[in-house]
Amino acid sequence: MRPSLLRSQLRLLLREPTLRLGALVLLLCFGYALARGRAWTLTDAEQLARVQHDIDAEVAQKREEVADVEAGRVRAEERPFAGSPLDYRVAAALPPGPLAALATGQRDLAASVAEVSLWGRSDTVLTRQSLADPEQLQAGTFDAAFVVVYLLPLLVIGLTFDLLAGERERGTLRLVLSQPISPAGFLLAKFAARLVVLLALLGLFGVAAAVTLGTGVTVALLAWLAVAAVYALFWSALAFAVNTRRRSSAANAMTLAGAWVSLVLLLPAAINTVVEQALPLPSRMVLVGELRAAENRAAAWIHDHPELTGDDAFAWARGYYRVQRTIEEETAPRFAAFAAQLEARTELVRASSWVSPPVLVHEALSELAGTGPARHTAFGAQVLAFVDSLRAEMAPRLYAGRRLAAVEYDALPRFRFVEEEPAQVAVRLVPPLGLLVVASAGLLLWGVLRLRRGEPPVSGPDVG
Amino acid sequence: MLRAEALTKRYGEVEALAGLELEVRPGEVYCLLGPNGAGKSTTMNLFLGFAAPTAGRAWVCGLDVQHHLLESKRHLAYIPEQVHLYPHLSGAENLEYFAGLGGSAVSGPEVTALLERVGLPAAAHHRRSGEYSKGMRQKVGLAIAVAKRARALLLDEPTSGLDPRASFEFSRLVRSMCDEGVAVLMATHDLFRARDLASRIGIMSAGRLVWEGGSGDLAGDDLERVYLEHVRRAAEEAAA
Amino acid sequence: MIGRIVRHELRSAWRDGRILTVVVLTLGLLAVAVIVGATNVRALQAQREEAAALERANWLEQGPKNPHGAAHFGQYAFKPISGLALFDRGVDRYLGSAVWLEAHRQNTLVHRPADDAPAVQRFGDLTAANILQVIGPLLALLLTFAAIAGERERGTLRLLVSQGVRPQALVLGKLAAAMLVLAPLLLVALLSAAALAGANGLPYVGLLALGYGLYLGCFAALNLAISARARTSSAALVGSLALWVAAVVAVPRIASDIAAWACPTPSEHDFFAQVARDIKQGINGHDPKDSRTEALKAELLARYDVKTVEQLPVNFAGVALQAGEEYGDRVYDRRYGELYAIYRRQADLRLALALLSPRLALQPLSAALCGTDLAAHREFAAAAEEHRRALVRRLNEDVTQHPGASPFKYLAGPELWRELGELRRDDADPSPADLRGLAILAALFLLATSLALASARRLHVDP
C-alpha cells in the first residue's frame, strides 16, 4: 500500500460527518467515564482510609486502657477484659490500583476491606452486609472498560460497514477502480485509515487518563490501551471481512450488528448460563444451616468440657474461640468443595474467554486496572492467610490467659496486600490476546484473498 | 492504443459480447452505437478490467488488461454515464483525491487550472459537490481524466441528460484532448453527437459489431438510416 | 384500508426468510431461558426448604440456655423465591438471600448470588425478560426499519399514495402488523413462564404482556418515524440501530450511574458505625446509653417503691435488655428509613430518565410483577424484622419473669424454643406496589406513535 494512498484515505475519512459525530460521542463517553471513575476511586480510597482509621482508633483506645491498668491509673479489677487478645482488630484493605478509575471490574461487588480479629470464622471474614444499590450493581457502571468493550466496536462498525458497499451505492466506486488501484489495496487503505483514527482516539484517551489520574504514562496504562487497540483491531478486521462480501451496506450493517449482539450480549450471557448449569455451587443457604448445626454441637461439647475454658476473665472468650475453631474444622470439607467448584468455574470462564473476545478484553481491562476477579481472589486468599497468622500469634496468649501489654500492640501483625507479579498477569493474558491478533490477521487475509478472487466488486448483488 | 481481440463475454447462457474486434488509434474518437444490451457497457467493463473476458483479449497501450490490471489503468481514463463524486467534498477536493488515486498528485494552482480548463465556474470550485448539476459533475470527471494525462479515454454515455450547450462544451473538451493524441472510445445513444465528434463509428447489436465506418463515409441522415436498418436486421436474425 | 395493509405486511414478513429465521431463533433462545430459569428456581426453592428445615431443627435443638443467649444464637430466615423469577430475576442476584435475626441488631440480608458468580455475569443474564428487552426491540427494528424508506426506494410508495392510501394509515397498518408478528413471541414466552411458575404467577401475566407490548410498540413506532424521514433504507437502518443501542444498552447504564452519583448510597462501614454511635450516644447525641439505663432503673425502683434492683419483683436485666432493644429499633427504623429514601430517590431519578429509554420504565415494572425487585426484597426484610422483634421481646420477657441474684444463670429449655415459631413466608406472591412504569410506557408509546404519524404527514414520496 502506498503511503500516499493511506494519506488520501485519511484526509477523506476526516471529512466524513459520521466520523466527526462518532468520535465526538466516543470522546464524550470516555470523558464522562474517566471523570466518574476518578470521583468514584477517590471516594473508594477515602472510604478505605476511614475504615482503617476507625479501627486503628478503636485499637488505640484499647491500648490506652491497658496502659492505664499497667500504670496503676485504673485498678485491674475494673477493666477485667483489658488486653484481651480477642479485642485486637486490624483492617485488611485492598487498595485501589492506580488505574482503578478505568474499570470498575469486581470492585463494586467484591469486598475490598475486611476486619480481621480472633472474632468470627474464615467463612465470615469476607462476608459482608452490603448496602449497595442492587439496581446499580445490575446495570453496571459506565466506566472506560464499558466504553471500550461495548461502544468502541459500535464506532468501528459505524465507520466500516459501508467501506466498499457505500462507495458502490453512491456510485463512486467505478471511478475509483478505473484508477490504477486494486480493490484489496483500496479497501486496505480505507481500513488502515480507520484504524489510525481509532488508535489516535485511544491515544488521546490515554493521555487524558494519564493526566487526570496523575499516574503519567505507565506500563500498565500502555498495556491497557494496547488491549483496547487489539480489540478495536479485531472488530475492524471482522468488518473488513464482512465488507468483502458483495452485499449492500444495509446487509453489512445488519450482519455486523448481529455479530455485535451475539458476541457482546448473548455469548457472555450464554457462557454465564453454561457455567452455572455445568458447575452448580453448593447452596449458601444450606451451608448456613449446616454451620449453625455445627455451632450447636460445638457449644454442647464445650459446655461439657469446662476445663477447656477455665474460669478466669478470658473464660468466655476462650470458649467462644474454641467453638468457632470446632465449627471451622467440622465444616472445612464443605467449604473446600465450595472453593474447588468456584475454582473450576473460574477455569471454565477463562477457557471460554478464548472464544469470546468481549469477555477476554473485559477481564484483561479489569485485571490491568487492578479491579479484576484474579486480584480480588488473591486478596481473599491473602486475608485468610493473614487471619491464620494472626491466630497463630494470639491464640496461645488467649489459651494461656496472657494479656497484651501496651508495648506489644505496636508490634502486632498488620496486613499488607502483595500484588501479583506483572509477569504472571502477562502469562495469563498474552496467549488469548495473541490468538485474537492472529484471528484478526486471519480475517484480514481471508478478506484480501476473497477480493483477489473474481471480478472487482463494482457491481452489487442486484446488478447483472 | 485500445484494441479488442476476439473479445467475448458470456454471463451464463447470455452472450453479452461475441468476438469483438476493434481498434482505436491515438488522436481518434471511436463512437460505439447500439441499443441497450448491445454490449457497449460490457466492452467498457472489459477494457477497465471490471469483468474478465470469457475469451479473447483487451489491450490498452500494448498491455493485456487481464494480465496487467493495474498498469493498464495508468494509461486509461474513464468517465461513467453518471460521474458520482463525494458529496461532502468540493469539486477541487474530489479532483485532488481522484488524481492522487490515479498516481498523478495535483495541488493548488494546478487544480484551479484543470477546473478552469474543463469550464467549471470558479465560484463552484470550492462548493460542496453534492450541490453540483450533472453537467458540473461530468466536468469534474473530465478534469480527473485530464489530470491523469491518460493516453486512452473511455466515455460511457457521457452526454446523456446534459442540455445541448453542456453537451457541446463537453464535446469540445473531448476533441481538445483528442488533438493531444489521446485515443477516445465513446459509447453513446446520441447519433448527432457521434457524427459530430467521431473519427470512426461502430454499430453494435446483440454483442456483435454489425457495421463500422468513418464519419466521412456518411452524409446527411445516413447514420440514422444505417443504424435503424442494422438494428432491425439484427433483431430479425435473433427472432429467427 | 388499514386491515388490507396489515394483511399485506404479514404476508411479506412471512415470506421474508430473514425475519422468520430471527423469530425462530429468538423463540429458541426464549425456550432455553425459560427452561433454565425454571430449573434454577425449582432448585433454589428446594434448597431454601432444606435450609429452613435445618434451621428450624437448629433452633429447637439448641439445648438449655439463658433466653438472652438464645436471642444471640437467634434464627436465620431465608428469602422465598418467587415462581416468576424464572421469567425475570430482576435485581435478585444482587440482593442477599439469608438474614440472621439476632438480639440487638437489625442485619441486612447476606449471601448475594452475585457474590459467588463468575465475573462474566456482569454482561447480563440469559433470562426470558432480558431476551425480550434486548432482542425484542431488534426484531421490531427488522420489521420496521425499511417499512417506509424501502417502499420509497423501490418506488412503490409513490404508487401507494397515488392509489389514495393516506400515509398515516400506512404507518398505522405497518405498526399493527409489526405488533402482530411480535405478539406470539411475547405470549409464548409469558404463558410458558406462567405455566411453569405455578398458579400464583398467572394474575401478573396480563400486566407483563401489556408492559412488554407497549415497550416493543415504542420501538416499532420510533423506527417507523425514522423510516419515514430517512433518505435511504440503509440510513433508516443505521438510525434505528443507533436508537436501539442508546435506549437498550447505553442509557440504562448512564441513568443508574447518574442516579448513584446524585444520591450516593452510604458504605456499610459508615452506616453501621452511625447506628452504633446512635445507640451508644443516643439518637440526638446527648442521651448516652449509660444514662438511659440509669433513668430506667430509677423509674422502676420508684414504680415498685423499692431501694435496690435485687428487691424488684422482676429481673431488671430483662427490662433493660428490652428497653435497649426498643431504643435500637428506633435507631434502625430511622437509619434504614434514610437508606431506603436514598434508594427511592435513585429509583425515581431512573424513572424520570425513562423518557430517554423505555427500558428504564420496563425493567422495574417487570421485576415488580415477577416479585424480584427491591420492593419485594424489602417486604421480606420488613417481615423478618417484625419477626425478630417479636422473638427477642418474648425472650427478654422470659428473662424479666425470672428474677434472681444472678440474672443470666437462669436457663430456659425446649418448651420455650418450641413456643417461638419460625418466620413462615412460603408464598412469595409478587405484590407489586409501584406500577408507574406502566403509565410511563403507555405515555411513551403514545408519544412514539404520534411522532410516527407526524412524520407520515410530512412524507416525501420520492427518494
Side-chain angles (χ1 to χ4, degrees), chain A residues 373-411:
Chain A
R375 189 165 182 256
H376 278 278
T377 309
F379 172 67
Q382 289 184 25
V383 167
L384 289 184
F386 177 70
V387 168
D388 280 343
S389 68
L390 188 73
R391 284 179 191 163
E393 171 90 23
M394 302 294 239
R397 291 172 198 274
L398 186 65
Y399 289 141
R402 238 176 33 238
R403 288 166 199 284
L404 284 167
V407 288
E408 284 179 306
Y409 273 88
D410 308 320

Side-chain angles (χ1 to χ4, degrees), chain B residues 8 10 30 44 49 64-66 84 107 114 124 142-143 155 169 172-173 180 191 193 199 201-202 207 225 235-236:
Chain B
T8 304
R10 260 184 234 107
Y30 191 112
M44 297 282 168
D64 179 349
V65 172
Q66 269 312 295
H84 290 283
S107 58
L114 280 165
L142 203 60
L155 303 173
E169 278 178 22
R172 197 172 48 80
L173 285 163
E180 288 164 20
L191 302 185
R193 195 56 59 204
S199 334
I201 293 173
R225 189 179 46 75
E236 278 166 7

Side-chain angles (χ1 to χ4, degrees), chain A residues 125-140:
Chain A
V125 68
L126 286 165
T127 302
R128 48 185 207 143
Q129 302 194 26
S130 173
L131 303 177
D133 177 11
E135 314 246 5
Q136 161 77 34
L137 286 176
Q138 195 203 30

Side-chain angles (χ1 to χ4, degrees), chain A residues 193-218:
Chain A
R194 275 144 186 84
L195 209 54
V196 166
V197 169
L198 288 169
L199 292 183
L201 288 173
L202 278 176
L204 204 60
F205 169 68
V207 171
V211 172
T212 318
L213 305 179
T215 57
V217 179
T218 58

Side-chain angles (χ1 to χ4, degrees), chain A residues 222-237:
Chain A
L222 288 176
W224 200 93
L225 293 171
V227 171
V230 165
Y231 189 59
L233 173 74
F234 164 74
W235 279 100
S236 312

